Amino acid sequence: MARTDDEAPASRHFERVISERQVVICVGSGGVGKTTSSAVIGLNAAISGRRVLVMTIDPARRLANSLGIEALGSEMQQIPLERFKELGLEPKGELWAMMLDMKDSFDRLVQRHAPDPKTRDAILDNRFYHYFSTSLAGTQEYAASERLHELVESGEFDLIVLDTPPTTHALDFLEAPERLVDAVSSRALQWLYKPGVLSGRSGMGIVSLGTNYVMRTLGKFTGGELLSELGVFLKTFSSLFEGFEERARGVIDLLKSSATGFVVVTAPDSLTVEEALYFYEKLDRDALHVDAFIVNRVHPRWVSEEALALPPEELGTALEAPPLPALDEALEPTALAELLLENASQFELRATQDATSIALMGDRLPKTMPILQVPYFNRDIHSLAGLNKARTALFADF
């Protein structure tokens, strides 16, 4: 059951909080409807009049299908909201979407902060840079978080909704700025690109004159060309290190500020709920703002206990349904009723399990935390009409 700090319904409380955010970050396990939830939050804000961008770094790239477009790339594209007029809606804002390509984000970082075109090209063409920007743990996540910061600073959008990867990778995304600050300020890395800070002598670390002997010796084992390229990379890329710490701290400040809110998305099964609670505890420890939990695919109770206790032949009457016809000659109405009763019993069992998991989750969360439920749909959502159906369920109090 959803609870808030006042008497307003949970969805109204949630919408009010979202209206005060510039960034909403959806986090959670894979396969729980996180991408759909991100799109629904963005869609609702756009319908109400805000200019919204929905971004995803989910490698499954399902957001395009949900938004009714064929493909989603690193360039922003506008979603045609006029199609919602067919559903009786009058959108007042704009909805945009993009795939947050982390390699592209790092390239943009270099292009934006390199001191001159020659340095920029030397970095982008260097094979060590290609490894650094695509394979080194945390670099892509950092570039993605800085891209988010860049878009917020531009003021182009009223709201940016970010759909993160599954839980473990989302933690990488959130922790990447802190790790980069630690790395750039570490003594080991500073020795590589500015040893004078540590020794009191000028030089360029591994590419300084004092290390030529080491370079020649290592070159016998690795090849002089490879070490030369490493030296060029360190010399050119070090020109960006000075600004990394300042920009990374800007990202950290954004994530912790009142402009940013987090939404934990989960399914109602016990294992997924445990992971969602773990994520909440992590966010809470880091002093990040968690605005709500969204529980997707909740089995509702649509058959009363009294109906389930009835004989099969009376089930149709109890459900206010027409008499059950035979599907074929081999299946009599009574047999069909028995099958439907078994199905209803199984559905009721799932509904009970879901309600129990949600109740236990509520017991472990603050009393003021909204827990919003989206019911189980009989098919996946891959269209704007489907998104509106989920939006209506999530913001049912409007």
Side-chain angles (χ1 to χ4, degrees):
M1 180 177 64
R3 287 95 29 94
T4 66
D5 54 354
D6 53 32
E7 295 181 354
S11 57
R12 189 177 298 277
H13 173 85
F14 178 53
E15 201 277 344
R16 185 172 64 247
V17 172
I18 294 297
S19 69
E20 300 171 354
R21 303 295 192 202
Q22 291 178 267
V23 179
V24 173
I25 301 177
C26 292
V27 296
S29 307
V32 296
K34 182 162 45 62
T35 300
T36 299
S37 297
S38 301
V40 166
I41 292 170
L43 174 61
N44 191 71
I47 287 176
S48 66
R50 303 180 77 185
R51 193 167 195 263
V52 183
L53 172 65
V54 178
M55 300 193 301
T56 179
I57 50 178
D58 183 352
R61 304 193 179 194
R62 292 184 298 271
L63 186 59
N65 290 333
S66 298
L67 292 172
I69 54 180
E70 291 185 3
L72 195 61
S74 58
E75 296 298 323
M76 293 176 286
Q77 55 181 302
Q78 189 171 5
I79 308 303
L81 292 183
E82 58 269 14
R83 292 167 54 189
F84 278 93
K85 294 181 180 179
E86 301 173 4
L87 303 175
L89 298 173
E90 294 291 338
K92 301 174 183 177
E94 297 179 7
L95 181 62
W96 295 71
M98 66 176 290
M99 180 73 171
L100 189 50
D101 185 311
M102 291 188 280
K103 173 62 168 63
D104 177 71
S105 297
F106 217 106
D107 289 348
R108 290 175 61 91
L109 176 66
V110 172
Q111 293 164 355
R112 192 165 67 251
H113 296 293
D116 53 68
K118 182 178 179 181
T119 301
R120 176 200 64 204
D121 294 340
I123 294 173
L124 294 176
D125 293 338
N126 188 280
R127 80 171 95 174
F128 281 95
Y129 167 75
H130 286 288
Y131 171 79
F132 182 87
S133 61
T134 59
S135 304
L136 195 63
T139 53
Q140 293 189 52
E141 285 81 2
Y142 166 72
S145 64
E146 182 161 314
R147 175 68 170 138
L148 172 65
H149 185 261
E150 176 192 4
L151 288 167
V152 172
E153 289 292 299
S154 73
E156 189 174 353
F157 295 95
D158 301 318
L159 174 66
I160 297 175
V161 184
L162 177 64
D163 166 38
T164 61
T167 303
T168 303
H169 299 291
L171 287 175
D172 291 341
F173 174 81
L174 299 175
E175 294 171 353
E178 290 276 11
R179 289 202 303 267
L180 189 71
V181 168
D182 293 341
V184 171
S185 58
S186 71
R187 294 175 63 87
L189 187 58
Q190 288 191 11
W191 179 83
L192 290 175
Y193 73 94
K194 57 174 187 179
V197 172
L198 306 178
S199 65
R201 299 191 299 271
S202 61
M204 284 300 297
I206 199 170
V207 294
S208 68
L209 293 176
T211 57
N212 279 344
Y213 173 76
V214 177
M215 296 279 283
R216 286 196 302 270
T217 303
L218 290 174
K220 295 178 182 178
F221 299 97
T222 62
E225 182 181 351
L226 184 66
L227 278 181
S228 175
E229 224 174 321
L230 173 60
V232 170
F233 168 70
L234 290 172
K235 185 174 182 179
T236 54
F237 201 69
S238 64
S239 62
L240 302 183
F241 284 162
E242 300 296 336
F244 269 7
E245 182 172 356
E246 179 182 355
R247 293 192 299 274
R249 292 198 183 282
V251 174
I252 294 168
D253 290 342
L254 171 64
L255 295 178
K256 292 187 175 183
S257 75
S258 60
T260 302
F262 291 80
V263 176
V264 181
V265 184
T266 184
D269 64 275
S270 58
L271 290 178
T272 310
V273 165
E274 283 298 324
E275 188 169 9
L277 290 170
Y278 160 75
F279 212 149
Y280 167 76
E281 292 167 0
K282 167 64 178 173
L283 295 171
D284 190 54
R285 283 197 304 270
D286 291 344
L288 301 172
H289 304 284
V290 180
D291 291 334
F293 271 61
I294 294 178
V295 187
N296 280 317
R297 300 169 188 153
V298 178
H299 292 76
R301 282 196 165 95
W302 54 273
V303 181
S304 67
E305 294 183 4
E306 293 79 6
L308 290 174
L310 291 174
E313 60 272 13
E314 299 180 25
L315 181 61
T317 302
L319 296 178
E320 298 182 355
L324 297 172
L327 295 181
D328 55 48
E329 294 180 359
L331 190 62
E332 296 299 329
T334 301
L336 178 57
E338 290 175 347
L339 291 174
L340 290 175
L341 181 59
E342 175 63 22
N343 180 266
S345 298
Q346 292 297 323
F347 201 92
E348 175 66 15
L349 176 61
R350 293 293 301 272
T352 300
Q353 292 171 339
D354 290 355
T356 301
S357 293
I358 294 170
L360 291 174
M361 178 172 63
D363 291 340
R364 293 170 58 182
L365 290 171
K367 301 299 183 184
T368 55
M369 178 65 65
I371 303 175
L372 307 171
Q373 300 181 31
V374 178
Y376 173 85
F377 296 127
N378 62 354
R379 63 184 64 186
D380 290 337
I381 295 174
H382 294 302
S383 67
L384 287 174
L387 278 182
N388 188 58
K389 185 178 180 181
R391 185 191 72 87
T392 302
L394 187 58
F395 297 97
D397 298 306
F398 294 94

